[in-house]
Amino acid sequence: MRGSSRTGNGVVHLSPGSAPAPRALIVDDVLDTGATLVSACRALKDAGVGETTVFATHGLFSGDAWWALGDGLCDRLYVTDTSPSARLPEGVHVLRVGDLLAQRLIEGAVDLEPGQRTIDATPLGLPRRTHALHR
């Protein structure tokens, strides 16, 4: 699938290429109700994609549409631990980001000059701008 866009009437999925892929990866920022991801996974299955993996940075799991992801629409689902949810379904893979972020911040902070309170975000893999350190 080449992508999707949100309209006033919902999500419109763009058509896949001429031949279905054996595997697909969907990356989204937030899994809230899950309706968008369910729609995307259904479109991929209908297009003949064999295996679908979903990665969402923030897994909120509100509403009920996301339950369909576990009914064969999605083979693997990953979220980070940035938004702990009491409704986290069994089988969801949770990736810890705290240790990774702390390590990257420490690596960037090592080169601070005396009195310097900011670091260049480039070594952190973030957009090129300066971020303040809070002490």
Side-chain angles (χ1 to χ4, degrees):
M1 179 161 302
R2 304 247 188 250
S4 64
S5 62
R6 190 176 298 274
T7 68
N9 296 326
V11 176
V12 177
H13 299 289
L14 305 178
S15 62
S18 58
R23 292 182 301 277
L25 172 66
I26 300 173
V27 180
D28 203 354
D29 57 348
V30 177
L31 190 165
D32 191 0
T33 66
T36 302
L37 290 172
V38 166
S39 175
C41 287
R42 278 198 180 116
L44 288 168
K45 291 292 182 194
D46 291 347
V49 172
E51 182 179 296
T52 302
T53 299
V54 172
F55 175 83
T57 303
H58 310 290
L60 303 180
F61 299 100
S62 67
D64 291 321
W66 55 267
W67 283 105
L69 293 172
D71 293 336
L73 288 179
C74 171
D75 297 285
R76 279 177 300 287
L77 175 58
Y78 296 89
V79 298
T80 67
D81 61 354
T82 58
S83 301
S85 172
R87 299 184 73 192
L88 185 68
E90 198 170 312
V92 173
H93 305 278
V94 179
L95 306 174
R96 295 175 44 123
V97 298
D99 295 338
L100 176 61
L101 289 173
Q103 178 183 348
R104 297 298 298 199
L105 286 170
I106 290 168
E107 289 171 4
V110 169
D111 296 329
L112 287 179
E113 298 294 327
Q116 182 182 359
R117 296 185 56 85
T118 61
I119 59 173
D120 181 1
T122 305
L124 305 178
L126 300 173
R128 190 169 184 81
R129 61 179 172 238
T130 304
H131 292 265
L133 291 177
H134 300 283
R135 297 183 200 249

